Amino acid sequence: MTLGKSWFDSLSNLKGIGPVKVQQFQQIGIASIKDLLFHFPFRYEDIQVRELATILDQEKITLKGKIVSEPVVQFFGRKKSRLNFRLAVSDHEIISVTFFNQPYLKNSIHLGETQAVYGKWQSNQQNLLGMKLIKQAESDQDFAPIYHTTKGLRQPQIIQAIKQAFEEYFEEIPELLPHYLNEKYQMIPLAQALFQMHFPKNGEESKQAKRKIIFQEFFLFQWRLQLATQRQRKQTGTRILYDVEELKEVIQSIPFNLTTAQKRAVNEICYDLMADFPMRRMLQGDVGSGKTLVAFLAMIASVIAGYQTALLVPTEILAKQHVKSFNRMFESIGLRAELFVSVMNTAEKKAIIDGLHTGRIRIVIGTHALIQDAIKFKNLGLAIIDEQHRFGVGQRQAMLNKGVDKDSINLLQMTATPIPRSLALSLYGEMSVSTIDELPNGRQPITTVLVEEEQIETVYQSMADELSAGHQIYYVLPLIESSEHMEQIENVLEVSDKLRARFPNYQVDVLHGQLDKTEQQVVMESFGNNQTQILVATTMVEVGVDVANATVIVIQSAERFGLAQLHQLRGRVGRSNLASYCYLISKPTTEQGKARMQIMSQHQDGFIISQEDMKIRGMGDVLGRNQSGLPQFHYANIFEDQHVLEVARQEVGQLLKTPERLSEEEILTLSQWVEKQMIEV
Ligand code: ADP
Ligand code: MG
């Protein structure tokens, strides 16, 4: 390595990359040489040389041969020109090649030389309409890379920059994986893999490169994850020594029986609470499986033991709902939860802040407002984070920092995308996992029906039936990002007017982002009390909202939603023993769209749905929006590459037990990498 030169250097070190280009590259997330090298093509143009007989008319292909005529340029009109030459593509086949309006190419065409040309085949004229002259260096490759780009940044400029980066920084590309693993799994060095990701000569090279990159991504993820766990395990935690009998009494007071899975989860959590290491546990369970109640019981255990507890949730509506249902269930036995959200007035906030500080308030439920500096707990022993994927690492850490003793606080996170045990082990590290794998007794599968707009009458009919049975309805409209706020609301208002006209005997209300938070809560409250029967809403009802009497959810333009989101939305119904219905109104125009709607009508299991979604849409797309709550990978796919993930997990586990296998330099490289790359854990 050259002293002072590193692949973390800014792009501006490359020739021809001035401040404007730096800006443009930044827009696609590229700041350093390293970022650039990891900016892989999203696809490759197939430039494998093909036999004439196999090429269709108008097909885009690459042909290679010997130039057998001097190039001729004819000019016509003011700026137009045609360049022509002949190419012998085999012993007995000579074709003509034409380039329009690129007369300067003439200088690159030399009689007798071998040349590859990419273009469109015109079979009648036996002519290749040239689109690109492929340079000697490239013409022994089968694929040409195509990159994601942005305004002002052209493909050739990206390619140029990448080539330059390889020329000048090849030596600076470190090897991150331990040598013996590269040997064991016969993986090529990183520098070579990166090069082959961009410029594979053939399918084999491309495969080799991907294999390395995927393994490396998983390995580094595991390395960080397991290191963090290892450190964490050494901490001593706040021991929550609650009175088991007292907790049992509380459970007795609940108006229904816990499911077996809920009981198991409560036991697992309580065991951790009592243990002398700080709990780090994930509670996973599909939508409607009853995670909240389990969380409440853990909170109560910690209160019984004399500690404070906090539940962090992503929306104010949800915070309010949780407070309400907590108090409805437990206030009569002397347990009261307080709300803390940003819309409260100063006096209300102050009362809570003081109460938490002095220890008078023992249970608080709130939004991210809870993690602000002003909030200090007397003795926070247990923090719970609902819908964990809605919070970033920083927010999570801020919550943990409020514990009696930093690092020692017990943490429970909740997720609605349950994943299989083996996968959970690899993704959540040694973080313990509790799974609620059954729905409360008597729950019926939600009947999911795909309908087109024209068949809306059947939907209205079903709505009418359910309304007259005394049940309630969600009617959800997509948020259309590009449209104006006003348009959005008009849309909501228009639909609600339509429904009012159609169902004059029922109350129809609207919920959308333009209402202020207090108004939103009033709307939710009256829906919760069944003062409103039909709620027309944008996606604000997506997360966690719990109104058991609602039995129908109609989702308009369903194709606009991600599957994880649709699954969440559908989970708003089917929260009691009543039969319930989900109508997906959509007219998917693509095969992909159709397939996605089919998945929704065929599956109710959130894990299967996210897996199928990824199969159809590809990883980045689904995880880009991160609605599934699963960790994100750039190049690897946790489903398709699950066995690689598993191998990486085991190898890292082994390594941490026998670190002497690594050279000092290897250890240094890895720890530097971990420092530079914040991989979410
Ligand atoms: P989620 O796992 O989606 O967060 P919730 O915790 O909101 O699910 O629970 C869904 C609904 O089921 C709530 O109305 C809750 O009160 C109810 N519930 C939870 N556990 C049980 C149970 N054991 N028996 C009956 N109903 C239950
Ligand atoms: Mg929930």
Side-chain angles (χ1 to χ4, degrees):
M1 285 190 208
T2 320
L3 205 67
K5 198 173 169 189
S6 124
W7 73 336
F8 292 111
D9 285 354
S10 154
L11 269 200
S12 58
N13 287 296
L14 296 178
K15 278 195 277 321
I17 310 269
V20 177
K21 285 277 162 270
V22 165
Q23 278 277 327
Q24 288 167 340
F25 273 106
Q26 214 129 42
Q27 265 171 13
I28 46 174
I30 301 171
S32 66
I33 302 288
K34 185 220 96 209
D35 298 341
L36 182 66
L37 296 178
F38 274 92
H39 185 61
F40 298 142
F42 71 95
R43 67 181 181 88
Y44 302 86
E45 201 102 68
D46 190 347
I47 54 173
Q48 293 185 67
V49 177
R50 298 247 308 269
E51 300 226 356
L52 283 192
T54 67
I55 305 168
L56 303 171
D57 187 38
Q58 302 298 317
E59 193 181 346
K60 288 181 188 167
I61 37 93
T62 301
L63 290 173
K64 187 165 142 186
K66 197 167 161 188
I67 298 169
V68 291
S69 75
E70 287 287 357
V72 179
V73 179
Q74 288 170 288
F75 286 90
F76 49 95
R78 268 178 30 141
K79 284 183 183 158
K80 302 206 162 117
S81 71
R82 177 170 50 212
L83 165 73
N84 240 309
F85 61 94
R86 295 174 72 75
L87 196 67
V89 293
S90 72
D91 287 347
H92 53 282
E93 287 165 313
I94 295 181
I95 62 162
S96 63
V97 179
T98 314
F99 277 91
F100 282 101
N101 309 325
Q102 298 180 64
Y104 48 85
L105 287 182
K106 184 176 178 207
N107 301 330
S108 317
I109 307 216
H110 306 291
L111 183 65
E113 281 185 0
T114 298
Q115 177 68 56
V117 182
Y118 175 71
K120 200 190 266 179
W121 180 237
Q122 302 172 310
S123 62
N124 285 341
Q125 296 99 312
Q126 293 283 292
N127 181 60
L128 185 65
L129 189 59
M131 295 162 77
K132 189 180 165 198
L133 274 188
I134 293 168
K135 289 203 204 87
Q136 200 62 38
E138 288 169 42
S139 63
D140 61 346
Q141 294 172 7
D142 289 349
F143 305 98
I146 313 286
Y147 296 92
H148 280 301
T149 180
T150 182
K151 206 168 166 241
L153 202 55
R154 294 183 305 116
Q155 289 290 334
Q157 292 172 323
I158 298 180
I159 294 179
Q160 183 50 39
I162 292 173
K163 285 192 169 156
Q164 213 196 110
F166 274 119
E167 274 159 30
E168 287 170 31
Y169 283 85
F170 197 84
E171 299 295 315
E172 301 345 294
I173 300 174
E175 184 55 40
L176 301 171
L177 290 185
H179 178 68
Y180 85 91
L181 282 180
N182 282 330
E183 293 244 297
K184 180 168 175 188
Y185 297 107
Q186 300 187 358
M187 288 182 291
I188 55 178
L190 177 59
Q192 188 188 339
L194 287 174
F195 190 80
Q196 289 178 200
M197 284 301 286
H198 293 279
F199 311 112
K201 282 209 181 70
N202 48 44
E204 188 47 42
E205 279 203 3
S206 166
K207 229 158 77 194
Q208 258 184 342
K210 279 186 189 143
R211 204 166 147 259
K212 166 80 176 207
I213 298 293
I214 288 170
F215 188 93
Q216 176 175 300
E217 186 169 32
F218 281 148
F219 180 89
L220 294 174
F221 170 79
Q222 285 298 322
W223 180 260
R224 216 187 116 81
L225 187 70
Q226 294 191 34
L227 263 189
T229 313
Q230 207 182 46
R231 276 195 211 117
Q232 219 266 320
R233 284 274 145 121
K234 292 189 187 134
Q235 309 281 351
T236 17
T238 309
R239 297 187 71 181
I240 309 274
L241 297 168
Y242 64 94
D243 179 339
V244 180
E245 288 311 314
E246 216 175 311
L247 187 66
K248 275 192 185 149
E249 269 170 44
V250 173
I251 294 177
Q252 297 292 323
S253 78
I254 298 171
F256 41 71
N257 292 323
L258 298 189
T259 62
T260 312
Q262 281 173 318
K263 278 185 206 152
R264 195 177 55 224
V266 171
N267 280 335
E268 287 166 354
I269 293 166
C270 285
Y271 176 85
D272 278 8
L273 288 177
M274 285 201 168
D276 58 6
F277 54 83
M279 172 166 78
R280 291 291 178 272
R281 188 171 277 275
M282 185 71 84
L283 173 60
Q284 54 171 10
D286 216 326
V287 201
S289 60
K291 294 183 289 296
T292 316
L293 185 57
V294 172
F296 285 173
L297 291 171
M299 295 173 90
I300 290 170
S302 104
V303 169
I304 291 174
Y307 285 97
Q308 289 173 299
T309 176
L311 171 59
L312 186 61
V313 301
T315 68
E316 307 201 340
I317 289 177
L318 205 52
K320 186 124 194 217
Q321 171 188 295
H322 281 347
V323 168
K324 209 168 137 188
S325 60
F326 187 98
N327 290 338
R328 194 173 54 218
M329 244 184 281
F330 303 114
E331 198 166 9
S332 59
I333 54 169
L335 293 158
R336 186 181 153 76
E338 298 292 343
L339 177 74
F340 193 82
V341 291
S342 56
V343 292
M344 298 190 315
N345 66 39
T346 319
E348 289 171 325
K349 279 185 191 160
K350 188 169 180 306
I352 304 292
I353 292 175
D354 288 349
L356 291 173
H357 193 55
T358 59
R360 182 181 55 78
I361 295 175
R362 293 176 299 166
I363 306 167
V364 67
I365 299 177
T367 56
H368 51 273
L370 263 183
I371 59 184
Q372 69 194 51
D373 287 342
I375 304 267
K376 298 208 163 51
F377 289 84
K378 180 164 178 245
N379 66 349
L380 182 65
L382 166 68
I384 304 188
I385 302 181
D386 195 7
E387 310 287 345
Q388 53 87 21
H389 67 285
R390 295 288 201 103
F391 296 92
V393 207
Q395 291 173 315
R396 207 164 308 173
Q397 195 53 51
M399 189 75 240
L400 292 183
N401 290 348
K402 298 197 181 292
V404 207
D405 214 347
K406 220 169 126 181
D407 295 330
S408 73
I409 186 180
N410 295 290
L411 172 70
L412 178 68
Q413 307 199 68
M414 301 202 269
T415 170
T417 307
I419 56 178
R421 244 202 112 58
S422 56
L423 194 54
L425 204 60
S426 298
L427 291 186
Y428 302 141
E430 308 303 307
M431 190 186 321
S432 325
V433 176
S434 292
T435 307
I436 308 186
D437 53 6
E438 63 181 321
L439 296 179
N441 236 332
R443 292 288 151 86
Q444 309 182 31
I446 302 161
T447 309
T448 303
V449 188
L450 308 180
V451 280
E452 295 192 358
E453 190 76 50
E454 293 82 67
Q455 305 160 289
I456 191 82
E457 206 37 55
T458 61
V459 178
Y460 285 160
Q461 199 48 55
S462 162
M463 287 170 71
D465 291 346
E466 288 300 301
L467 286 168
S468 58
H471 305 150
Q472 291 163 275
I473 294 171
Y474 296 100
Y475 200 108
V476 181
L477 306 171
L479 257 179
I480 305 158
E481 271 164 33
S482 59
S483 80
E484 295 289 316
H485 281 313
M486 283 320 292
E487 231 172 276
Q488 204 81 246
I489 296 163
E490 271 167 30
N491 202 3
V492 171
L493 297 183
E494 197 180 300
V495 170
S496 60
D497 283 345
K498 218 190 269 176
L499 294 175
R500 269 189 203 106
R502 178 74 196 214
F503 304 104
N505 300 328
Y506 298 96
Q507 283 301 318
V508 180
D509 209 346
V510 298
L511 181 69
H512 53 73
Q514 292 306 101
L515 298 178
D516 71 39
K517 302 244 164 97
T518 327
E519 287 170 319
Q520 289 175 11
Q521 288 181 1
V522 172
V523 172
M524 273 324 293
E525 212 152 296
S526 67
F527 189 67
N529 302 336
N530 198 3
Q531 286 166 316
T532 304
Q533 287 75 46
I534 304 178
L535 183 64
V536 182
T538 55
T539 47
M540 310 201 57
V541 293
E542 177 190 337
V543 173
V545 171
D546 184 39
V547 179
N549 190 47
T551 55
V552 179
I553 184 162
V554 182
I555 304 175
Q556 195 159 295
S557 310
E559 74 281 355
R560 286 177 182 269
F561 294 92
L563 285 193
Q565 205 178 4
L566 285 177
H567 182 62
Q568 271 285 336
L569 282 168
R570 176 168 61 185
R572 294 317 106 213
V573 299
R575 300 188 147 247
S576 69
N577 292 352
L578 303 169
S580 47
Y581 308 88
C582 170
Y583 293 98
L584 301 174
I585 303 180
S586 85
K587 204 173 194 173
T589 48
T590 62
E591 282 308 309
Q592 215 197 54
K594 278 181 202 142
R596 295 176 58 235
M597 290 301 113
Q598 287 300 331
I599 291 171
M600 285 306 296
S601 66
Q602 285 160 8
H603 300 283
Q604 307 253 342
D605 179 322
F607 175 68
I608 293 179
I609 289 174
S610 51
Q611 190 170 2
E612 291 296 314
D613 196 21
M614 279 186 212
K615 266 192 211 149
I616 298 180
R617 292 205 295 168
M619 198 67 177
D621 203 8
V622 182
L623 292 185
R625 296 151 215 234
N626 201 10
Q627 286 165 340
S628 65
L630 300 175
Q632 309 199 33
F633 295 94
H634 290 288
Y635 316 107
N637 178 317
I638 44 173
F639 298 112
E640 278 171 21
D641 308 320
Q642 199 181 329
H643 62 288
V644 184
L645 177 59
E646 179 57 23
V647 171
R649 182 181 73 80
Q650 287 172 4
E651 290 295 351
V652 170
Q654 287 288 325
L655 256 184
L656 291 178
K657 273 185 222 133
T658 49
E660 60 275 8
R661 285 198 219 190
L662 295 179
S663 70
E664 260 171 52
E665 198 189 328
E666 284 173 332
I667 291 177
L668 190 69
T669 319
L670 276 173
S671 44
Q672 275 173 350
W673 179 265
V674 167
E675 252 169 60
K676 291 248 190 225
Q677 304 290 307
M678 280 297 290
I679 301 170
E680 188 163 324
V681 174

